[in-house]
Amino acid sequence: MSSGNDCQPQTLTKPTFDEREAAELVDRVFGLKVSWIRSLPSYDDQNFHVRVSAEGTGLGSKKYMVRLLTYLPGTPVAKITTNAQILYEIGRLAASMDKVLSEKFQHPSVKSLHRGQFIWNLANVPLLDQYICALGQNKYCAVVEQVIEQFKGKVIPKLSSFRACINHGDLNDHNILVDSSSASLENPHYRVSGILDFSDMSYGYYVFEVAIAIMYMMIESPDPLSVGGHVLAGFESILPLTTEERGALFLLVSGRFAQSLVIAAHTALLYPENKEYLTITAKTGWKHLMTMFEVGQEAVEKKWFETAQAYTHHAPAS
């Protein structure tokens, strides 16, 4: 019997290892003895937080890629109150990292980053058509449909004019670590101390990275529409955008909101036990996306561009 929304969930491909099996994998693959382990939330893979001791089995026939990452100290941006200074630094980071990835990064398999149908690549906003049914029939459907149609008509035809690069692709407030170089609690001065999660890397465009950073920095901000100008100023201190790239920025930020919100809703249908993690962005994201369209592209861009322009007269101290 049809559920009424014709939304067909994808085949479940997420691994289902329990903590004992995960500990055995750490031992077998990396030769490390696990002293403590607990599961962590995720989208379509499995994550575990493990501690291993100094000591340096069959789990079925399926093959999985297993990786072990070391702990990187720092405070996620999601846990601080952002200010203009750190937003500017994050913009600089986004531009600098993409330049390094594109100009210096070498690997025999680098061509695999041409991920044509990768749903998180910002060029693939039109692919959301197949997931939008996860929203059901509510007020958000209309704005997402509007984003998709405008993206198809106004962004896709301009992609060939954008400057290509390798994108990190997920500079969200949980993937950027900072520390404070100031003792002042009233006016802390932050610096980026680490970047997490390179699993969404793909070939894209420089303007994609700044749009993604702006969108995620808006999530927890008390004044979300002001965020874009500070991030843009930092980005353009390294890599000024072209006229075509600037003209697409509003729809690129809107497109990333749509991607994050729609894919989260779809994935939550597949893994309802993980809904709290999957819908983190939705807590404020829908409100911000709706506000952007209520205020309108012209007014939002004016605010962003005027803020960024002000930095050309008075750049922040590094």
Side-chain angles (χ1 to χ4, degrees):
M1 180 178 292
S2 172
S3 64
N5 61 9
D6 297 324
C7 197
Q8 300 297 321
Q10 293 179 332
T11 303
L12 293 176
T13 57
K14 188 171 181 175
T16 56
F17 292 107
D18 59 30
E19 292 177 352
R20 177 190 60 80
E21 291 171 325
E24 289 179 7
L25 274 175
V26 174
D27 184 6
R28 180 155 63 89
V29 177
F30 302 105
L32 299 170
K33 301 296 181 182
V34 174
S35 60
W36 179 90
I37 185 170
R38 69 177 176 88
S39 62
L40 295 172
S42 63
Y43 259 87
D44 48 13
D45 54 13
Q46 261 192 299
N47 297 326
F48 294 89
H49 179 189
V50 300
R51 293 176 184 157
V52 297
S53 62
E55 300 176 31
T57 62
L59 292 171
S61 58
K62 278 195 171 184
K63 292 185 177 181
Y64 295 94
M65 182 178 72
V66 181
R67 60 182 180 179
L68 183 67
L69 306 177
T70 55
Y71 175 76
L72 189 62
T75 301
V77 168
K79 294 187 176 181
I80 68 169
T81 300
T82 55
N83 55 30
Q85 176 263 322
I86 190 57
L87 293 172
Y88 182 91
E89 293 302 323
I90 288 168
R92 284 180 60 87
L93 163 78
S96 300
M97 182 164 55
D98 280 14
K99 279 179 66 67
V100 169
L101 288 174
S102 300
E103 297 172 4
K104 306 291 185 181
F105 179 62
Q106 297 181 350
H107 191 277
S109 299
V110 70
K111 289 184 178 180
S112 67
L113 295 178
H114 289 287
R115 306 166 75 178
Q117 296 299 301
F118 181 46
I119 190 61
W120 287 107
N121 188 305
L122 197 45
N124 288 330
V125 166
L127 295 182
L128 294 178
D129 278 335
Q130 61 189 296
Y131 300 99
I132 197 172
C133 53
L135 300 178
Q137 298 299 318
N138 62 42
K139 62 182 180 181
Y140 300 131
C141 259
V143 72
V144 171
E145 289 171 347
Q146 187 178 352
V147 170
I148 294 172
E149 289 310 306
Q150 290 192 25
F151 202 96
K152 289 177 181 177
K154 298 180 180 180
V155 176
I156 296 300
K158 292 183 178 179
L159 289 179
S160 61
S161 70
F162 299 163
R163 289 164 297 172
C165 68
I166 296 175
N167 293 141
H168 174 278
D170 197 15
L171 284 179
N172 68 52
D173 48 342
H174 293 273
N175 286 343
I176 302 173
L177 303 179
V178 298
D179 62 25
S180 177
S181 58
S182 169
S184 170
L185 296 178
E186 293 78 18
N187 188 29
H189 187 93
Y190 294 104
R191 71 174 189 90
V192 176
S193 61
I195 302 298
L196 305 177
D197 195 356
F198 286 77
S199 62
D200 285 353
M201 282 175 61
S202 66
Y203 276 98
Y205 304 92
Y206 284 110
V207 68
F208 282 11
E209 200 77 90
V210 66
I212 290 168
I214 287 172
M215 175 261 161
Y216 283 120
M217 292 308 105
M218 289 174 66
I219 292 298
E220 300 295 339
S221 173
D223 186 12
L225 293 185
S226 72
V227 164
H230 303 293
V231 177
L232 178 61
F235 191 92
E236 291 197 313
S237 72
I238 302 294
L239 195 82
L241 297 184
T242 65
T243 300
E244 292 82 2
E245 290 164 344
R246 273 193 162 209
L249 195 56
F250 177 89
L251 283 175
L252 289 171
V253 173
S254 303
R256 185 52 168 209
F257 266 117
Q259 282 182 314
S260 183
L261 295 165
V262 172
I263 296 170
H266 170 76
T267 311
L269 290 180
L270 299 178
Y271 310 110
E273 73 283 356
N274 208 17
K275 185 175 181 180
E276 182 178 356
Y277 167 76
L278 294 170
T279 56
I280 288 174
T281 299
K283 291 177 181 177
T284 58
W286 283 117
K287 180 177 68 174
H288 295 342
L289 178 58
M290 300 294 280
T291 299
M292 285 181 68
F293 272 78
E294 288 166 4
V295 174
Q297 179 171 350
E298 184 178 350
V300 172
E301 287 181 339
K302 184 174 185 291
K303 189 176 185 69
W304 289 350
F305 298 157
E306 286 182 353
T307 299
Q309 178 65 26
Y311 278 84
T312 63
H313 305 298
H314 182 67
S318 59

